Amino acid sequence: MVLLRFAPSPTGFLHLGGLRTALYNYLYARKLGGKWILRVEDTDATRYVPGSVENIQESLNWAGLDYDYGPSKGGPHGPYFQSERLDLYRWYSKKLLDSGHAYRCFCSADTLASTRERLARTGSNETYDKACLHLTDEEVARRVKAGDKHVIRLNDSTMPDRPPGHDIVFGTWKENHGSLPTDPILLKSDLYPTYHLASVVDDHEMGITHVIRGEEWLPSLPLHLDLYACLSLPPPEFAHIPILLKADGTKMSKRSGDAQVIDYIKHGYEPGAILNWLVLAGWGAKHEKPSDAPVSSAPDHARAGAKLKSEDAFLPDSTSIMTLPEMIEKFDLHTLTHRRSILDQVKLKYLNRHHLLQRMSTPEGLDSIVAQLYAYVQETYPASEYATEEYVRKLIPTINVVTFEHFKESMPIFFIEPDLYTSEAQGMVGGMNNATYKAVLQKMISLIENPGLVWEHDQLEIEMRATGRDGPWTPKVIMTVMRHALTGVKAGPAVADIMHVLGRERTLRRLRKASEEDVVKSWRSWHGKSEHAKLPVR
């Protein structure tokens, strides 16, 4: 069975880069008819962040990425926390010791630091002098029996021959063992494994057929392939996906609040839009047809889909709107770019608006939005006579939303009377005199009082703009005065939409109240200007 895994460390809340890795594992597993595992790599207790495991699970659940096996679900491959698999790593470490592919190192931290400095001064690329490799079996046994602290290192001078490394995304590349530490540590002195040993052991023991992980692990792939060869185990297929960058070009980090999934949840983004945004980051590149030569010693079923022609693959536009089922159908690892991708927040807003409108286009989706907003309105405006489900349903079409939070941000103008004296409100009418402001309102009041005026959005828009064309004010002046009197805020739905939702009587009440006050005069006095100063009427 095709089996993939998403294996985060509980060292912080899930960020966008981690969610994209989980998404790619989910998509590829579903595309190949397989399953995927959530495995928690918690072997570094010093970096553990309380609540991070729960956050990872909640974020995946919010995104709709349902893993088949893992914490809280169980399955045939458990346990799913590496801290509960320590005996397994010790067993494999002993196997490497017995075969001569590993040895015990008793050097202290101070000794190792001194050795690194000495080797660096000689111009050597090595990071360790293999001093403990030359200890006799008797000396090693004596020190182990005495309880001397030690680690287990890989003996990189005994590596067996193996096929060259191959990656689904990057193809065959030149391996550089020189960038790896000399005789890397596999098991630490606290008997916890390093990532290298634990990932290799767990991927084999769990039956993982494909490993999709971040590009930062590509330099370690030669070491991992060496470990598979030393243990006489068939490696899985590997795909390293290019790193995501923030808008400023820096790498995603668990410590960066703006990159955490929870922040996008709080800001009301649609999960489908976030997945759409992430899946498009770096997808759509044309590469040469992958080689038909064997890429590893993995079983045939583990290489399913490895020979797809990229020219036959779906190459999406940078703003393609896709649902999760469509992503599964069209996704192809072979069409990922080799370059790192910057996440474009403008693109996310575009995608989110379309996904939100898509949700609103179905009766079930619209009902869910109404229910969410109605609960919010009841809590926020409990004394308002307009805090009804019917009224909420009426105002939803008027709001030009980007995220669900925009609904909430647009609510106040429909439930509370506007404050015309805030700095924002006063700034809206700062370019006209008080006489102009009142004259515009009186004209609009007369228009609205006409019983023959059809109270419908398009007709309201037509009548107001026609008044502007007839003079003496431009449509812009009329719309500015109306927006100020009705809302007191610069941004929001179209003026005609606001009027339509408020109704004729509430609209007239607000306009009359504004016309009775010296709004612009008050603004001038705040700024130390004469009440009699004259500005041109526009």
Side-chain angles (χ1 to χ4, degrees):
M1 182 183 69
V2 169
L3 187 64
L4 290 90
R5 51 61 164 190
F6 173 52
S9 299
T11 55
F13 285 8
L14 187 66
H15 62 74
L16 294 173
L19 182 61
R20 185 181 69 152
T21 301
L23 171 62
Y24 281 11
N25 276 278
Y26 171 89
L27 295 177
Y28 211 58
R30 296 293 183 258
K31 187 176 183 70
L32 299 182
K35 298 182 182 296
W36 69 298
I37 289 171
L38 173 63
R39 184 174 76 212
V40 180
E41 301 195 337
D42 60 342
T43 57
D44 190 347
T46 61
R47 297 176 60 215
Y48 172 74
V49 174
S52 54
V53 174
E54 293 77 10
N55 172 266
I56 291 168
Q57 291 176 294
E58 290 166 4
S59 297
L60 293 177
N61 182 62
W62 169 81
L65 302 182
D66 189 30
Y67 55 89
D68 299 288
Y69 309 119
S72 76
K73 285 197 172 185
H77 312 285
Y80 296 99
F81 288 86
Q82 287 188 331
S83 59
E84 299 174 7
R85 301 170 65 86
L86 300 184
D87 288 344
L88 197 59
Y89 311 131
R90 294 167 194 165
W91 188 89
Y92 275 92
S93 296
K94 185 177 185 303
K95 185 176 180 180
L96 290 168
L97 289 170
D98 292 343
S99 65
H101 289 307
Y103 63 93
R104 300 181 193 272
C105 174
F106 298 88
C107 294
S108 67
D110 289 341
T111 299
L112 292 173
S114 177
T115 300
R116 283 193 297 270
E117 291 176 5
R118 175 171 53 80
L119 291 170
R121 285 196 300 269
T122 65
S124 173
N125 290 328
E126 295 187 344
T127 57
Y128 179 56
D129 60 3
K130 296 177 176 280
C132 289
L133 176 61
H134 307 296
L135 295 176
T136 64
D137 292 343
E138 292 77 12
E139 177 68 8
V140 170
R142 182 188 66 77
R143 298 189 68 169
V144 169
K145 186 175 181 180
D148 290 357
K149 292 185 68 173
H150 63 279
V151 300
I152 295 178
R153 291 180 177 273
L154 181 69
N155 184 0
D156 62 16
S157 59
T158 64
M159 294 299 98
D161 292 335
R162 59 168 176 80
H166 184 276
D167 187 80
I168 295 175
V169 175
F170 288 90
T172 302
W173 81 106
K174 185 178 180 180
E175 296 184 14
N176 182 17
H177 280 82
S179 64
L180 297 170
T182 306
D183 290 357
I185 295 173
L186 302 178
L187 199 68
K188 296 176 287 187
S189 59
D190 60 3
L191 301 183
Y192 275 74
T194 60
Y195 171 81
H196 308 298
L197 177 66
S199 64
V200 166
V201 169
D202 286 340
D203 287 344
H204 171 72
E205 286 287 328
M206 292 181 171
I208 301 300
T209 60
H210 298 74
V211 172
I212 300 177
R213 60 188 180 186
E215 177 193 358
E216 64 268 26
W217 292 111
L218 188 58
S220 298
L221 183 54
L223 168 58
H224 298 168
L225 293 175
D226 287 342
L227 276 171
Y228 280 108
C230 289
L231 292 167
S232 301
L233 304 175
E237 280 290 283
F238 287 93
H240 291 83
I241 55 179
I243 293 171
L244 287 180
L245 302 176
K246 294 184 292 185
D248 60 3
T250 59
K251 182 182 174 183
M252 294 283 174
S253 169
K254 293 179 181 179
R255 290 171 291 280
S256 298
D258 58 342
Q260 291 179 348
V261 176
I262 187 67
D263 291 315
Y264 290 85
I265 297 176
K266 290 177 179 177
H267 284 98
Y269 282 95
E270 294 290 295
I274 294 291
L275 297 182
N276 198 160
W277 185 43
L278 293 175
V279 80
L280 289 172
W283 177 16
K286 288 187 176 181
H287 302 303
E288 295 296 323
K289 178 183 175 182
S291 170
D292 287 336
V295 295
S296 74
S297 55
D300 288 342
H301 71 270
R303 298 196 298 273
K307 300 179 182 179
L308 291 175
K309 294 181 180 180
S310 63
E311 58 265 30
D312 296 334
F314 172 77
L315 300 178
D317 294 331
S318 63
T319 55
S320 294
I321 308 297
M322 289 185 284
T323 62
L324 197 51
E326 289 172 333
M327 294 180 208
I328 294 172
E329 177 189 355
K330 298 171 180 177
F331 184 66
D332 185 357
L333 283 171
H334 298 94
T335 58
L336 295 185
T337 179
H338 297 170
R339 301 184 307 275
R340 298 181 177 187
S341 300
I342 293 179
L343 286 175
D344 184 353
Q345 296 288 334
V346 174
K347 182 189 294 186
L348 172 60
K349 292 178 180 179
Y350 169 84
L351 294 171
N352 198 81
R353 171 169 168 73
H354 281 270
H355 277 268
L356 189 54
L357 291 174
Q358 196 172 60
R359 179 152 74 104
M360 291 169 58
S361 67
T362 66
E364 299 81 6
L366 180 58
D367 287 345
S368 70
I369 291 174
V370 170
Q372 286 178 271
L373 280 180
Y374 178 47
Y376 171 77
V377 165
Q378 283 186 310
E379 179 183 354
T380 310
Y381 310 105
S384 174
E385 62 179 293
Y386 301 101
T388 66
E389 185 174 337
E390 180 182 2
Y391 187 71
V392 168
R393 189 177 293 273
K394 180 180 179 181
L395 65 84
I396 283 179
T398 71
I399 301 173
N400 184 22
V401 295
V402 173
T403 72
F404 186 79
E405 284 299 300
H406 284 120
F407 278 123
K408 296 180 181 179
E409 294 168 3
S410 301
M411 292 290 107
I413 63 175
F414 296 105
F415 292 93
I416 59 178
E417 294 300 305
D419 183 349
L420 306 182
Y421 298 97
T422 65
S423 58
E424 178 183 359
Q426 292 297 307
M428 295 171 66
V429 293
M432 65 184 70
N433 58 40
N434 199 52
T436 300
Y437 182 84
K438 290 193 172 189
V440 171
L441 286 182
Q442 289 300 327
K443 181 71 173 179
M444 291 297 101
I445 290 170
S446 297
L447 172 68
I448 295 169
E449 286 178 333
N450 180 2
L453 176 65
V454 178
W455 202 257
E456 188 269 331
H457 167 272
D458 290 342
Q459 192 62 36
L460 291 171
E461 184 82 19
I462 291 170
E463 293 294 340
M464 283 189 292
R465 293 197 175 278
T467 301
R469 286 193 297 272
D470 294 341
W473 315 289
T474 66
K476 180 179 180 181
V477 169
I478 292 176
M479 292 302 181
T480 298
V481 171
M482 291 292 286
R483 182 176 294 280
H484 176 269
L486 292 173
T487 71
V489 294
K490 292 180 181 179
V495 172
D497 283 334
I498 296 170
M499 294 168 62
H500 183 255
V501 172
L502 290 176
R504 192 188 302 263
E505 290 307 314
R506 288 180 76 196
T507 298
L508 281 171
R509 192 158 60 241
R510 291 189 181 187
L511 296 184
R512 287 168 181 158
K513 184 174 185 297
S515 69
E516 294 167 358
E517 301 180 17
D518 291 337
V519 175
V520 182
K521 175 182 176 182
S522 175
W523 179 85
R524 291 181 183 283
S525 64
W526 289 352
H527 288 71
K529 297 182 179 180
S530 167
E531 295 181 9
H532 305 291
K534 294 185 177 181
L535 291 175
V537 176
R538 297 189 300 180

